Amino acid sequence: MSIRYPNGKPYHINNDKKTSGNQLKKKKPSYSNRGMTLEEDLNATNAYYLEKNQAVIHKKPIPIQVVNVNYPRRSAAKITEAYFRKASTTDYNGIYKGRYIDFEAKETRNKTSFPLKNFHEHQLDHMQKCHDHGGICFVIIRFSALNRVFLVDFTSIHKWWQQQFKDDKKKSIPLKNIENEGFEINYKFSPRLPYLDVLDKLIAQE
């Protein structure tokens, strides 16, 4: 299915390479997370937190306008093209310990750095507004080739985002800096991706 932003640019899954439907089907499963995507891991984790009454955090619905629908047979319909009704903000939001939580989830196949092109300016603007009003904003980044996941505070992400427009024009965040500025999240059986444990460390630094 083709989904486009309001300006007509194509929307891609949260990684730095285009992936076709056939490539998705052929993706080799990881023995540590059974081939699940970061989004699937987070959705399963959020369901666990909700069940245990630890937090109420949900994935935001995508505001799309359907343009074309294919009907291969009368009993089935397939959306082949759609557009965002408006620019999307971040992936997840909710409440944790009385605090508003707002974060984005990103994946990259790059082994040494995280490309800043995976962000959109309106996402950073949204997190800045939430941060200014006392919300806790961050990004969860997964290096899929390394199977390592990090939680990085919005202020660190924003610093790197602004730096790309300066003289050095850095277009990515080196992994070593993410290791130093963020918090690594280790996979567990339940919850799958215990990011609230790491978030507590971030809150303690405020």
Side-chain angles (χ1 to χ4, degrees):
M1 178 179 71
S2 171
I3 301 179
R4 298 179 181 276
Y5 287 104
N7 61 8
K9 291 185 177 180
Y11 165 78
H12 302 298
I13 296 172
N14 279 337
N15 55 36
D16 51 358
K17 290 186 178 181
K18 296 180 181 179
T19 305
S20 68
N22 291 333
Q23 287 175 317
L24 285 173
K25 293 179 182 178
K26 295 178 181 178
K27 181 180 179 181
K28 293 182 179 180
S30 165
Y31 289 104
S32 60
N33 67 357
R34 299 181 184 178
M36 296 179 74
T37 65
L38 177 59
E39 180 179 312
E40 290 170 329
D41 284 330
L42 287 171
N43 290 345
T45 298
N46 288 336
Y48 174 90
Y49 287 147
L50 184 62
E51 180 183 356
K52 298 298 181 180
N53 198 30
Q54 294 180 353
V56 180
I57 301 172
H58 296 287
K59 180 171 174 57
K60 299 177 185 178
I62 300 176
I64 63 171
Q65 172 68 51
V66 176
V67 178
N68 289 319
V69 180
N70 182 29
Y71 295 92
R73 57 183 184 275
R74 294 185 64 183
S75 60
K78 180 181 179 181
I79 298 174
T80 57
E81 186 176 3
Y83 288 82
F84 282 108
R85 292 180 182 273
K86 58 181 179 180
S88 60
T89 53
T90 48
D91 291 325
Y92 296 89
N93 70 341
I95 300 293
Y96 176 57
K97 292 184 175 179
R99 300 287 298 275
Y100 175 73
I101 305 297
D102 198 293
F103 68 94
E104 179 72 8
K106 297 288 188 182
E107 293 192 70
T108 181
R109 293 182 181 180
N110 196 310
K111 296 181 180 180
T112 60
S113 64
F114 179 78
L116 288 167
K117 66 181 181 181
N118 285 348
F119 288 110
H120 296 282
E121 188 171 3
H122 62 262
Q123 293 176 325
L124 276 295
D125 290 342
H126 169 77
M127 284 192 281
Q128 180 69 66
K129 290 181 174 65
C130 292
H131 175 77
D132 292 344
H133 283 273
I136 301 175
C137 301
F138 53 92
V139 178
I140 293 182
I141 299 173
R142 180 181 181 226
F143 288 83
S144 57
L146 306 175
N147 202 28
R148 298 181 68 186
V149 182
F150 296 88
L151 186 153
V152 185
D153 183 33
F154 161 73
T155 55
S156 292
I157 297 294
H158 187 259
K159 175 194 69 177
W160 286 96
W161 177 261
Q162 293 296 323
Q163 192 166 291
Q164 69 178 320
F165 304 111
K166 297 180 180 179
D167 293 337
D168 48 14
K169 296 182 179 179
K170 292 183 180 296
K171 298 298 183 181
S172 63
I173 309 174
L175 174 58
K176 62 180 181 180
N177 289 90
I178 290 178
E179 291 173 331
N180 293 331
E181 298 175 21
F183 301 87
E184 187 160 8
I185 307 172
N186 296 312
Y187 280 99
K188 291 174 56 179
F189 177 74
S190 186
R192 292 194 56 79
L193 204 56
Y195 67 89
L196 289 187
D197 295 344
V198 175
L199 185 57
D200 285 334
K201 298 178 183 180
L202 179 63
I203 295 174
Q205 290 184 353
E206 292 186 340

